[in-house]
Each structure stands twice: as structure tokens, then as C-alpha cells.
């Protein structure tokens, strides 16, 4: 049994959906096919909701575009004798969506929960339509079996419950094709519509692959695979034919946009290989991701990735809080409050200034958590000095062999510094397979080019 996932670009147009149809229909089966919303539709759904919430009826123009995109696909690909019936089902969903927009415009308010309902229409409609395009396919509704729980205001998958529900749902699949909407889910406690986060369709597919013990998880996208660097920035970047789970996890966690980072965990634990394949170039070999021992390659560096819009929080130790204690305390506070930290430096002595890199959007909350925690206990004079630097980016080199390559980080730093690029902080990733440096954002492209030229060409 295979699980295939097709992203927004793959299901975006009549032409690309023809490729999807060919790819799926040539599979021996059984096969579960997870689909995203038509490319760009999720952004449009959000855009229209925001317009409605501001009291403007401009949402109608966006809504009309959404309607037309689906109309093109239904009348371009569904068998002629079924077109009207399928369009009627799509129209019913679109009318529900329109009612939501009217309501939002009327109350001029958009709660997070309402936005979840609105964005769910992208995958609900795409999966319904695609189930009528692929011969012999059956539609399954993820709202019934992908369950989330609330964690510090975020919806995260309840993997245990979801796994049980997936097994029960697909036990009748036999040799057929199941079409499943990605991304969308429901809250396990109150049944509200939720989702797995932007890009979350990959994760839906991984949860299904893991629960059903699939032979492979194929992620069909619009690039030829994992690249050694972002090809929009580095023209000489090339496809990496084979990566380990941990290498791909580090590349994704540190900015590679090929797959949604949580995707790798469920299949990694079941040792199910992932293939990254290109819908527009189906014969290209792509990237195969498997467990470590099959990826023995001599080179240390396998790829480089980056994240822009990073903030660096610096904590200055004092007598009350020497560096090691301060580090533990800060990490503790932030992890208890659900703050994701990209990187934290290790103190060399009691008075080493500590650095924590995190995504810019998380930094305000992280600072609040830290300040509150110290405020609660210390007098003003004893509070460690906390400062924040913006406009920094992370560059990360990844490779399983970096674990045994003691000088790798020095070589990276040396290369950057030799070209006058300041390194504000650096640290290995928790797996030991990645080394990350924090640098000024305006030198990022240059840094990527240097690291690629020196270590990957
Ligand atoms: N449609 C959703 C998004 O655009 C989920 C996905 O495509 O994976 O983020
Ligand atoms: Mg994606």
C-alpha cells in the first residue's frame, strides 16, 4: 500500500491535474491519495476572509475567482455525464463558504476558529472534485479521522487517536484508490474544524502512511527533489538523490521548504521511506529518504538551508544566574510555554552571554515569558539583562557525517568570517547532524553562495 500526496501546484490547473490522474491511475493499488487545495486557493480564502472582516465587500471578487478556479477544473476534467452533478455538490460547498463570508462581513470579526472553517473549504472542495476525476476513486473525509488537541493555543495532531481512526477508516480499501483532503482536521474534544498548519497536507499523508504501514510515502510536488540549496538563490544547486530521515528533518527544520517539517516524524518511527517526486517531471528520480545506514556517503555536507526573519535573544548572566544555570532556566521557561527555539548556544564559562535564535514572530512572546519569569522572583537589580537583535538569519549545513567531523563548524565559520560576514552565534543542532550559524540577513545570499561553492560543489 502506498500513500501519495499531491501539493497545490500539482492540483492547481486542468493541465497539472491530467498528470496527477495519469500518475495515480498507473499505480497498482491499493493507494491513498492526499491532496492539497488548488494552488493559491488557501491564500485566497484567507485574503477574502480578512477583507470581509474589515467590513469590505471586496471579498466577493476573491470569492468569484475561487469559484471560477473550481469551475474550470470540474468542466475541464470530470466526465461529461457527471459534470452537472459534481458541480452541484461543489456549488453547495461554495454557497456555505459564501454564507460564512457574509457573516464575517456583517459582524466585522474573524476568530481563529472561523478562519479554520473558511480555509477548510480549499481541501474539502479539491478532494471532492479530484475523487470524480480519478477513475474508480472513493472520497474519504479527513474531518472524521484526523484529530487535533489544543496545545498552548495551537492545534496539534493527537497522533494516537488519529492513528486508531485511520486504521478503522481504511480497513475496507482493498485494491482501490482513496482520495483524502490534506491539512484539515477536527478538535478531538469539541469537534470544531481545525487544521495542521500551513503546508500541513504533507503531514496528513505521513500520519496515514504511518498508521497503515504503507510501503512508501510519495510526496509529489513541483521540484525535482531535495536540493543542495534553494535553487532560486543558488543557481548551481542540484538534487540530492538520497538522504537519511534525520538529514531531511534538519534541512526542513532549518528552512528547506520541500516538506512540512512534522511530516518526517511519523514515517521515520515506522521506517517508511519517503520519495520526493515532481508531478511535472514524473520520470525524474527525485530524492529518496530512508534510515541512516543506507545513506553512507563520503562527504560531510549534504545540503545547506536558511531561515530569514530570525531574532536573536541574548541573555547576560550575573552573580545570581551564572551562564549554565541561566541557560537551563531560560530553556525551561520557553519550552514550558511552547516557544520553539531554533538554536541555543552553550556556555564556555559562568559569564558567557547566552544566545537563543527563534523565528521573529515568536520572539515577542518569548521575551514576555522570560521577563515575567524573572520578574516573579528577582528584584530589578538581579534580573539578567535581556536584549534582542532583529534582521538576522540562520544558515545551516546538514550531513550525518558532521557528527564525526569535529572541525566542520570551524570551517563554516572561517569561510564566512574570511569574507567579512559576522557570525553572531553558532551551535550544532540537537541531532548532531546540523551546524547552524546566525548571520546578518543582508549577507545571507552571499553566505549561502560561499558555503555551497566551498562545501557542496
Ligand atoms: N492548502 C494548505 C496550504 O496552502 C495546506 C497544504 O497545501 O499543504 O497551506
Ligand atoms: Mg507544501
Amino acid at each position: 500500500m502506498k500513500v501519495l500526496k499531491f501539493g497545490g501546484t500539482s492540483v492547481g490547473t486542468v493541465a497539472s491535474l491530467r498528470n496527477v490522474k495519469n500518475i495515480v491511475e498507473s499505480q497498482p493499488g491499493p493507494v491513498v491519495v492526499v491532496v492539497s487545495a488548488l494552488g493559491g486557493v488557501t491564500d485566497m480564502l484567507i485574503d477574502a476572509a480578512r477583507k470581509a472582516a474589515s467590513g469590505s465587500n471586496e471579498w466577493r471578487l476573491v470569492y468569484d475567482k475561487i469559484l471560477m478556479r473550481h469551475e474550470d477544473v470540474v468542466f475541464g476534467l470530470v466526465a461529461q455525464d457527471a459534470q452537472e452533478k459534481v458541480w452541484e455538490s461543489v456549488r453547495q460547498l461554495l454557497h456555505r463558504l459564501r454564507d460564512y463570508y457574509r457573516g464575517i462581513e456583517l459582524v466585522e470579526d474573524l476568530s481563529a476558529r472561523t478562519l479554520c472553517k473558511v480555509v477548510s473549504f480549499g481541501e474539502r472542495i479539491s478532494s471532492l472534485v479530484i475523487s470524480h476525476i480519478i477513475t474508480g476513486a472513493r472520497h474519504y473525509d479527513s474531518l472524521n479521522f484526523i484529530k487535533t488537541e489544543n496545545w498552548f493555543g495551537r492545534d496539534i495532531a493527537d497522533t494516537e487517536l488519529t492513528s486508531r481512526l485511520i486504521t478503522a477508516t481504511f480497513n475496507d480499501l482493498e485494491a482501490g484508490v482513496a482520495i483524502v483532503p490534506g491539512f484539515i482536521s477536527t478538535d478531538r474534544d469539541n469537534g470544531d474544524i481545525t487544521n495542521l498548519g500551513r503546508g500541513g497536507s504533507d503531514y496528513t499523508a505521513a500520519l496515514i502512511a504511518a498508521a497503515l504501514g504503507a510501503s512508501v510515502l510519495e510526496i509529489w510536488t513541483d521540484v525535482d527533489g531535495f536540493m543542495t540549496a534553494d535553487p532560486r538563490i543558488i543557481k548551481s544547486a542540484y538534487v540530492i538523490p538520497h538522504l537519511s530521515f534525520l538529514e531531511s528533518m534538519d534541512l526542513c527544520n532549518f528552512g528547506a521548504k520541500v516538506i512540512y517539517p512534522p511530516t518526517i516524524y511519523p514515517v521515520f518511527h515506522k521506517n517508511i521511506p519517503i520519495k520526493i517526486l515532481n508531478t511535472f517531471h514524473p520520470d525524474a528520480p527525485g530524492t529518496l529518504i530512508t534510515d541512516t545506514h543506507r545513506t553512507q556517503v563520503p562527504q560531510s555536507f549534504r545540503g545547506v538551508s536558511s531561515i530569514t526573519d530570525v531574532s536573536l535573544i541574548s541573555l547576560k548572566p550575573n552573580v545570581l544566574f551564572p551562564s549554565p544555570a541561566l541557560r537551563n532556566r531560560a530553556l525551561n521557561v520557553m519550552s514550558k510555554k511552547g516557544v520553539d527555539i531554533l538554536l541555543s548556544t552553550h556556555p564556555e564559562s559562568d559569564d558567557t552571554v547566552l544566545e537563543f535564535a527563534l523565528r521573529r514572530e515568536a520572539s515577542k512572546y518569548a521575551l514576555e515569558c522570560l521577563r515575567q519569569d524573572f520578574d516573579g522572583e528577582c528584584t530589578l537589580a538581579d534580573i539578567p539583562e535581556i536584549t534582542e537583535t532583529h534582521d538576522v538569519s540562520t544558515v545551516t549545513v546538514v550531513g550525518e557525517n558532521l557528527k564525526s567531523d569535529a572541525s566542520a563548524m570551524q570551517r563554516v565559520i572561517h569561510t564566512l568570517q574570511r569574507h567579512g560576514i559576522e557570525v553572531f552565534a553558532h551551535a550544532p543542532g540537537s541531532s548532531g547532524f546540523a551546524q547552524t550559524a546566525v548571520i546578518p540577513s543582508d549577507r545571507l545570499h552571499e553566505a549561502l553562495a560561499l558555503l555551497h561553492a566551498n562545501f557542496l560543489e
Side-chain angles (χ1 to χ4, degrees):
M1 210 274 305
K2 279 183 173 187
V3 176
L4 275 60
K5 181 264 172 177
F6 291 90
T9 341
S10 301
V11 300
T13 63
V14 170
S16 64
L17 273 164
R18 284 213 176 91
N19 294 3
V20 173
K21 182 172 162 69
N22 288 337
I23 293 163
V24 174
E25 289 178 359
S26 64
Q27 304 288 333
V31 46
V32 177
V33 178
V34 176
V35 296
S36 287
L38 270 54
V41 163
T42 307
D43 286 337
M44 288 157 85
L45 288 164
I46 296 170
D47 180 36
R50 297 219 166 108
K51 288 193 159 87
S54 72
S56 149
N57 69 5
E58 270 178 47
W59 62 264
R60 286 170 190 275
L61 298 173
V62 185
Y63 170 84
D64 286 344
K65 276 194 204 141
I66 296 172
L67 183 139
M68 282 187 303
R69 289 284 304 280
H70 292 97
E71 198 174 29
D72 283 350
V73 169
V74 170
F75 291 97
L77 284 168
V78 174
Q80 230 166 17
D81 55 351
Q83 283 174 356
E84 281 305 332
K85 201 174 130 253
V86 174
W87 182 240
E88 187 44 42
S89 317
V90 172
R91 211 166 31 200
Q92 275 178 23
L93 284 168
L94 286 167
H95 286 175
R96 279 269 287 293
L97 172 65
R98 195 181 52 195
D99 290 342
Y100 277 119
Y101 284 139
R102 285 180 174 149
I104 297 167
E105 184 189 343
L106 198 67
V107 296
E108 294 188 27
D109 185 46
L110 178 62
S111 71
R113 274 294 178 255
T114 304
L115 187 60
C116 285
K117 289 194 181 93
V118 165
V119 293
S120 74
F121 283 92
E123 271 75 6
R124 286 162 80 184
I125 303 175
S126 70
S127 59
L128 180 73
V129 173
I130 294 166
S131 72
H132 289 281
I133 292 173
I134 289 166
T135 311
R138 209 173 125 187
H139 186 251
Y140 288 74
D141 190 352
S142 308
L143 296 179
N144 298 329
F145 53 83
I146 305 287
K147 292 286 172 182
T148 58
E149 59 186 298
N150 204 272
W151 189 75
F152 294 107
R154 254 188 275 172
D155 297 308
I156 60 158
D158 176 340
T159 48
E160 229 170 88
L161 175 60
T162 297
S163 175
R164 263 187 282 129
L165 292 172
I166 290 170
T167 318
T169 304
F170 292 96
N171 66 3
D172 62 347
L173 187 60
E174 290 170 7
V177 177
I179 306 291
V180 179
F183 177 58
I184 59 174
S185 47
T186 43
D187 183 285
R188 68 165 188 204
D189 298 314
N190 58 23
D192 280 355
I193 293 182
T194 56
N195 62 59
L196 301 176
R198 293 303 306 270
S201 294
D202 296 338
Y203 190 33
T204 307
L207 291 169
I208 296 174
L212 299 181
S215 58
V216 61
L217 166 62
E218 293 184 355
I219 306 278
W220 289 85
T221 177
D222 54 1
V223 292
D224 276 342
F226 262 99
M227 310 279 285
T228 49
D230 184 341
R232 287 164 305 182
I233 303 172
I234 306 298
K235 293 290 166 249
S236 52
Y238 50 94
V239 174
I240 312 169
H242 201 167
L243 280 172
S244 74
F245 286 115
L246 294 170
E247 285 171 333
S248 62
M249 230 181 259
D250 275 332
L251 281 171
C252 286
N253 284 333
F254 286 97
K257 298 210 175 61
V258 184
I259 38 181
Y260 185 51
T263 305
I264 301 157
Y265 297 88
V267 285
F268 165 58
H269 286 299
K270 292 282 180 79
N271 202 7
I272 296 167
I274 307 175
K275 275 187 188 167
I276 311 293
L277 295 159
N278 191 345
T279 306
F280 302 90
H281 198 181
D283 297 325
T287 298
L288 174 66
I289 303 168
T290 59
D291 53 353
T292 47
H293 24 267
R294 275 185 280 163
T295 67
Q296 302 284 340
V297 284
Q299 73 265 43
S300 286
F301 297 85
R302 309 296 314 284
V304 54
S305 57
S306 61
I307 304 177
T308 50
D309 285 329
V310 171
S311 284
L312 196 64
I313 294 181
S314 310
L315 287 187
K316 201 168 167 209
N318 57 27
V319 187
L320 203 62
F321 293 103
S323 298
L326 184 59
R327 181 172 190 273
N328 286 345
R329 174 150 177 166
L331 286 176
N332 216 337
V333 172
M334 290 194 275
S335 83
K336 264 202 280 186
K337 300 275 182 171
V339 177
D340 286 333
I341 298 161
L342 292 168
L343 161 156
S344 61
T345 55
H346 285 266
E348 277 150 26
S349 64
D350 278 358
D351 54 6
T352 315
V353 174
L354 301 165
E355 309 284 0
F356 300 89
L358 50 165
R359 289 185 190 268
R360 174 82 193 257
E361 69 262 17
S363 73
K364 192 165 163 247
Y365 177 62
L367 283 172
E368 267 169 34
C369 294
L370 287 168
R371 292 203 169 112
Q372 259 174 22
D373 191 65
F374 290 113
D375 276 356
E377 193 185 301
C378 316
T379 62
L380 211 53
D382 297 328
I383 295 178
E385 201 180 304
I386 307 175
T387 52
E388 190 186 9
T389 314
H390 296 309
D391 301 324
V392 295
S393 295
T394 58
V395 276
T396 302
V397 290
V398 171
E400 288 216 339
N401 293 345
L402 290 178
K403 199 155 192 161
S404 51
D405 184 345
S407 67
M409 191 76 230
Q410 278 145 312
R411 290 186 341 256
V412 168
I413 294 173
H414 187 68
T415 306
L416 297 172
Q417 286 177 339
R418 213 176 42 214
H419 290 83
I421 299 173
E422 191 176 355
V423 176
F424 297 123
H426 60 84
S430 55
S431 64
F433 300 153
Q435 297 282 355
T436 298
V438 182
I439 60 164
S441 288
D442 59 0
R443 306 295 297 274
L444 177 62
H445 287 197
E446 197 187 335
L448 288 170
L450 277 168
L451 296 177
H452 200 268
N454 275 277
F455 302 115
L456 288 150
E457 285 171 23

